[in-house]
Amino acid sequence: MNRCALSLRSAGVRRGTSSLVVLLAISDVIEVWSSRRGAPSGGGSRPRRAALTGAVLVGLLVAALVASFPAAAEAQMTASGTFKLAPTGREVAVIRPHPWSGWYWPWARVPLAKVLAKYDTFVAKRTGRNPGAAAWERKHHRGGEDWSGHCNGWAAAASLEPEPRNPRTVDGMVFTVGEQKGLLSELYMDCYHQFYGTRCYSSKSDPDILPHHFHRLLLEYMKERQVPIVIDADAGSPVWNYPAYAFETTWTTDVRRGKAEVTTKLYLADDNVVADFLGTKGLVKTYRYTLDLNVAGEVTGGAWARGTGKNHPDFVWVPTANSPPAGWQNPAVEEAMVRAIVGSPAPPSPPSPPPASGVASLSRLAMEGEPTLVPDQAYDTVLQEAGIDPAQLFAGD
Amino acid sequence: MLTRSCRLWAVLFMVGMLTLSVQPGVTAPEVDGFMPAWRVGDAWVVEARYRNLAMGEDAWLPPIRWRFHVRSAREVDGEPCFLLHVVPLGRPDLKVQAVLWLAQRDLRPVRVIDVFPLRGVATARRREFDPRRLTPLFPEGALIPYALPLFPFAEPSHTTGPTVVVGEKAVAVASTTFVDRVSQTWSPTPRGFVVELDDGQPGGGIRQEWWKGLPWAVSQSGRAMEVRLVEPAPGEERR
């Protein structure tokens, strides 16, 4: 939310409820964690001493209230109407349902080819043709580094798709949970995403993501949007992608230095599991960094803490939507077939065209640009799903 | 027979009509500088290609075409605004859209709703903009290429170099406010202006080329994506 008078009002409402949300979230983190493992000096008159004593007591009371409601103390309003980072604070977010754990299907020995051979048989039974997915996999998704695999496809699928939780029998063929997860991991090898940072290809080049950017992504995606981020946990050239399902960040502000010392625990879904694993196996990474603050307590920069070496993410990305194959994804694996196997609904087909109406120029553009004509109603249905009434929204003055 | 003077006026009239016919619904006010002029009902399409940056600088994902449609005009706190609705052409299933409230006087951002899928369900996120603090519009994590500079662009009067505006963008996220240095640099070209926008984010800056008479930048380049206006097509492509 950009800073302005209007946004302060709405933020104030939200902040009133944030302490409860934070407390609930803290309990969630604990659940996740456990499932894994003086008197004034003399010299004044009596009334003055009494006043001083009263002031001290009020101060202690305020301090106690602030200490017992850290979330309420996270932000203070300055006289100018801007937010100021509190002396100490904590932010917590837990995403439910968590991204699910799944094997990363390494390229070495191409274990996914066995699943894809089964997929080929399934498709051949349905269509009469063998798509050749297993053959493509053996030719293209093999070798590489010893860490090479499908971790990016798994991370995206685990963030965007419901977890396959039961074996499924389709057309007389049984697909295990692991096989379904493997197919989804292949399907998402190419996907639309937002990318933050620079992938490291060698030990000396490419800057890693900066901590104030990392911190903002945690708050913006995980806290505000409830969207998992994916990190490359290795700041060197290997890539280990993990989707995050929770974080807990605490800070202490040093106003004199204009710094906030931050410790963030990031809870990641692990891929070091057997293929048929169910649920989320947690992996916790702890990062320490400083945030640079201006005089208003606003974050202007940051640095990873000294002595922590390369213990920070290389880059961060956020899967947005699946895309057609673009080079990294096995082109013989069709989304419709995978969805038939895992039982997830296919992307909705456009509804039947409504009665002729709307904007003439828009219809013309739609006909020129779209592979198939999609009526405007289909887009407005998405707005309605997001809680927006298009008729009210776009009603003119 | 027409007199020589009449013929001259007739030619000028035809040239004028021809000029208007290739700029439907769009005018660029020259007095105060350049900015695209929109009317309710205007629509255009851009095509965005996305770099698959996790796979390298030369890896690309299939393009998405985005339709921009000026669907209505409403006031926000006394500020007359256009409501610009942006959708992925032919792909409502992506569930990614945006509604931008842009001030009619200079297209400054007033309010933005980003729609995105959250575990398959369309979800909305709303941003409000400080009326006292002008800033270019940045997508802030949205897939849609709706970055928009501050208008109008004025021709430099005393220097031949680019015009630079530097400011700050403050974004409050949860309990923390992040301040980024924002810069906008523009230079005139024979057809319009080239503008560079940077908000200090990891995605890096972007460069847009605007032509007079077109409703949106004819091209945009940056680290994460490349964008081009496909409808209405710029002049060369029409020919």
Side-chain angles (χ1 to χ4, degrees), chain A residues 3 91 199 216 365 385 397, chain B residues 54 75 133 140 175 231:
Chain A
R3 183 171 63 198
E91 287 278 14
R199 178 176 169 176
R216 179 172 165 179
L365 288 177
E385 187 177 303
D397 283 329
Chain B
E75 280 195 6
R133 181 179 273 185
E140 306 285 358
S175 62
E231 179 65 37

Side-chain angles (χ1 to χ4, degrees), chain A residues 206-225:
Chain A
D206 302 327
D208 303 327
I209 190 165
L210 295 169
H212 56 295
H213 292 146
F214 170 71
H215 194 77
R216 179 172 165 179
L217 294 171
L218 292 177
L219 297 177
E220 192 160 302
Y221 281 103
M222 297 185 65
K223 175 86 179 180
E224 291 217 324
R225 301 195 199 185

Side-chain angles (χ1 to χ4, degrees), chain B residues 28-107:
Chain B
E30 297 291 337
V31 178
D32 298 319
F34 166 79
M35 68 173 261
W38 304 340
R39 290 181 308 205
V40 172
D42 285 352
W44 58 92
V45 176
V46 304
E47 181 178 272
R49 295 173 68 221
Y50 300 89
R51 276 202 174 86
N52 199 354
L53 285 167
M55 300 303 178
E57 299 286 332
D58 295 326
W60 293 86
L61 293 164
I64 298 176
R65 288 190 168 193
W66 299 94
R67 185 180 67 196
F68 290 66
H69 177 202
V70 185
R71 277 187 76 165
S72 69
R74 295 190 76 165
E75 280 195 6
V76 176
D77 292 338
E79 178 77 60
C81 294
F82 288 120
L83 268 72
L84 187 61
H85 186 203
V86 193
V87 300
L89 204 54
R91 294 293 310 274
D93 56 292
L94 285 180
K95 298 188 177 182
V96 178
Q97 299 187 14
V99 181
L100 318 177
W101 280 255
L102 304 168
Q104 292 184 23
R105 56 180 161 139
D106 56 6
L107 302 183

Side-chain angles (χ1 to χ4, degrees), chain A residues 194 225 320-321 348 351 374-390 393-394, chain B residues 50 64-69 71 84-101 111-118 121-127 139-146:
Chain A
Q194 298 290 331
R225 301 195 199 185
T320 309
V374 175
D376 295 344
Q377 189 185 26
Y379 302 107
D380 284 353
T381 301
V382 175
L383 290 179
Q384 286 167 339
E385 187 177 303
I388 299 167
D389 178 1
L393 179 70
F394 296 117
Chain B
Y50 300 89
I64 298 176
R65 288 190 168 193
W66 299 94
R67 185 180 67 196
F68 290 66
H69 177 202
R71 277 187 76 165
L84 187 61
H85 186 203
V86 193
V87 300
L89 204 54
R91 294 293 310 274
D93 56 292
L94 285 180
K95 298 188 177 182
V96 178
Q97 299 187 14
V99 181
L100 318 177
W101 280 255
R111 176 183 296 160
V112 168
I113 292 179
D114 289 305
V115 176
F116 57 94
L118 186 57
V121 179
T123 309
R125 174 174 176 260
R126 177 167 153 160
R127 286 186 280 153
E140 306 285 358
L143 200 61
I144 307 174
Y146 62 63

Side-chain angles (χ1 to χ4, degrees), chain B residues 167-199:
Chain B
E168 281 185 347
K169 181 186 66 170
V171 179
V173 189
S175 62
T176 307
T177 300
F178 296 84
V179 175
D180 300 309
R181 182 180 176 275
V182 175
S183 68
Q184 173 174 319
T185 306
W186 71 89
S187 310
T189 66
R191 289 177 174 272
F193 286 86
V194 167
V195 59
E196 292 178 2
L197 302 173
D198 195 349
D199 65 348

Side-chain angles (χ1 to χ4, degrees), chain A residues 147-351:
Chain A
W147 45 265
S148 297
H150 294 75
C151 68
N152 56 306
W154 155 70
S159 300
L160 295 172
E161 294 285 336
E163 180 182 25
R165 295 193 62 85
N166 294 295
R168 275 180 53 83
T169 303
V170 191
D171 295 355
M173 297 179 67
V174 179
F175 288 88
T176 65
V177 166
E179 288 167 344
Q180 294 173 57
K181 288 186 173 183
L183 290 172
L184 287 171
S185 300
E186 184 64 62
L187 187 65
Y188 277 87
M189 284 297 282
D190 287 319
C191 72
Y192 295 109
H193 59 269
Q194 298 290 331
F195 190 88
Y196 303 93
T198 305
R199 178 176 169 176
C200 175
Y201 285 96
S202 68
S203 58
K204 60 182 178 183
S205 66
D206 302 327
D208 303 327
I209 190 165
L210 295 169
H212 56 295
H213 292 146
F214 170 71
H215 194 77
R216 179 172 165 179
L217 294 171
L218 292 177
L219 297 177
E220 192 160 302
Y221 281 103
M222 297 185 65
K223 175 86 179 180
E224 291 217 324
R225 301 195 199 185
Q226 284 285 297
V227 169
I229 65 170
V230 179
I231 67 161
D232 170 17
D234 192 318
S237 56
V239 178
W240 291 99
N241 289 298
Y242 299 101
Y245 62 86
F247 75 82
E248 179 183 11
T249 186
T250 55
W251 68 84
T252 304
T253 304
D254 185 337
V255 176
R256 189 179 53 80
R257 290 174 56 228
K259 305 278 186 190
E261 304 289 340
V262 186
T263 300
T264 294
K265 284 184 178 175
L266 193 59
Y267 296 79
L268 306 164
D270 199 355
D271 62 356
N272 185 19
V273 296
V274 295
D276 284 319
F277 183 88
L278 277 179
T280 303
K281 179 189 175 194
L283 173 69
V284 184
K285 296 278 185 183
T286 301
Y287 300 120
R288 291 193 297 115
Y289 46 93
T290 58
L291 297 175
D292 301 333
L293 307 175
N294 62 16
V295 290
E298 299 166 325
V299 176
T300 59
W304 297 107
R306 286 182 185 172
T308 58
K310 284 283 191 182
N311 180 32
H312 53 253
D314 185 21
F315 57 82
V316 174
W317 57 288
V318 183
T320 309
N322 194 19
S323 86
W328 286 92
Q329 180 178 323
N330 189 325
V333 175
E334 295 177 33
E335 180 169 0
M337 293 295 174
V338 172
R339 294 201 178 281
I341 291 169
V342 303
S344 69
S349 56

